[in-house]
Amino acid sequence: MAPDSHHDRVAFAGDLFLQLATDGRLVLEPAEADRVIAGLEWALEEVTGRLRVADLLRGTSLPELRRVDAGLEQAVVDAVFDEQVADGGLRRALDELPKYILAFQKAKKRNSPDEP
C-alpha cells in the first residue's frame, strides 16, 4: 500500500534511539557521540531558526520585507518553502531532534559502571 502523505514517508526514530540507548544496545565512544550530538544540535538550531522566521513573518508581504532588509526576504521565502516542501517535516523534526540528542548522550560509553 502506498503512503498516504509525506508524513508516512519521512521516518523519524527518536523513540527507538532513546529505547536502544536506555537498554544499552546503542553505545558509542564519547568522542564519536559528541560529534553526532554536535551535528544534531546544529540541525535543531537550523530547523528552529527557519520555523521561527516563517512563523514570525507569515503573512508579511514581500515588499514589506524588502523595506526591512533585502536579505530577509530570501530568508523568509526559503523558510516558508522548506516548511511547505517538507509538509510539516520541519515541525516534526523539531520534536524528534531532542530525542536523538538525548539518546546519543545516553549512548556515550562510560568509563566506569558507577557513572550515570
Side-chain angles (χ1 to χ4, degrees):
M1 181 151 115
D4 294 333
S5 73
H6 182 70
H7 292 291
D8 295 329
R9 294 187 304 268
V10 175
F12 287 102
D15 292 325
L16 174 62
F17 274 86
L18 268 172
Q19 189 61 52
L20 291 172
T22 299
D23 293 347
R25 293 184 285 164
L26 176 64
V27 179
L28 289 101
E29 292 294 332
E32 184 179 359
D34 288 341
R35 281 192 299 276
V36 172
I37 291 166
L40 291 167
E41 288 173 338
W42 175 85
L44 181 58
E45 287 175 25
E46 286 291 310
V47 168
T48 301
R50 285 180 182 264
L51 288 173
R52 185 174 294 131
V53 167
D55 288 344
L56 287 174
L57 298 173
R58 191 174 309 278
T60 304
S61 73
L62 292 180
E64 291 172 315
L65 293 173
R66 281 187 206 110
R67 283 195 295 273
V68 173
D69 182 305
L72 183 60
E73 175 187 0
Q74 189 59 49
V76 171
V77 169
D78 290 347
V80 171
F81 178 77
D82 285 349
E83 181 59 10
Q84 287 176 346
V85 168
D87 193 25
L90 290 179
R91 295 195 190 278
R92 288 187 60 220
L94 198 60
D95 293 334
E96 289 289 313
L97 284 168
K99 295 176 188 178
Y100 282 79
I101 292 167
L102 180 58
F104 282 99
Q105 288 169 340
K106 288 182 171 197
K108 281 187 188 184
K109 191 181 287 186
R110 304 295 181 201
N111 291 329
S112 73
D114 297 333
E115 289 186 47

